């Protein structure tokens, strides 16, 4: 799907992160994955979104949609079949 920018913050050993990646891969969506376990990435995310304690944290066109349920809801709103 064109004109959709997806960024996903993930961490290792995260079943929901794996599920979100699978959903996006099956839908043919490109996304940027940011591992919060590297450097100060988690601190930077939490500075802007203090309640973002669970992973993944997914942003579509710079709007935070949350985790897997938020991703599914956002993709349905965009008219995608899941």
């Amino acid at each position: 799907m064109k004109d959709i920018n997806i960024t996903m913050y993930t961490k290792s050993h995260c079943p929901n992160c794996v599920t979100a990646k699978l959903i996006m891969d099956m839908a043919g969506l490109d996304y940027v994955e940011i591992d919060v376990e590297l450097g100060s990435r988690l601190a930077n995310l939490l500075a802007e979104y203090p309640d973002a304690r669970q992973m993944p944290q997914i942003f579509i066109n710079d709007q935070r949609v949350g985790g897997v349920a938020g991703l599914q809801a956002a993709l349905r709103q965009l008219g995608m079949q899941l």
Side-chain angles (χ1 to χ4, degrees):
M1 181 171 236
K2 295 187 182 210
D3 299 327
I4 186 168
N5 179 3
I6 302 174
T7 303
M8 178 170 52
Y9 291 82
T10 65
K11 65 180 183 177
S12 58
H13 309 293
C14 170
N16 287 334
C17 298
V18 172
T19 299
K21 288 188 257 187
L22 183 61
I23 289 169
M24 290 189 280
D25 289 344
M26 289 176 58
L29 296 171
D30 293 327
Y31 57 92
V32 174
E33 182 178 357
I34 299 173
D35 184 343
V36 298
E37 295 173 318
L38 299 175
S40 60
R41 293 174 175 178
L42 180 58
N44 293 341
L45 177 65
L46 292 175
E48 191 162 348
Y49 301 95
D51 61 333
R53 298 281 175 189
Q54 295 182 351
M55 295 298 137
Q57 288 296 313
I58 302 167
F59 294 78
I60 297 178
N61 295 333
D62 297 321
Q63 180 177 352
R64 183 173 163 216
V65 299
V68 172
L71 171 64
Q72 291 171 319
L75 293 179
R76 277 193 295 275
Q77 279 188 325
L78 292 169
M80 298 189 71
Q81 298 287 345
L82 301 178

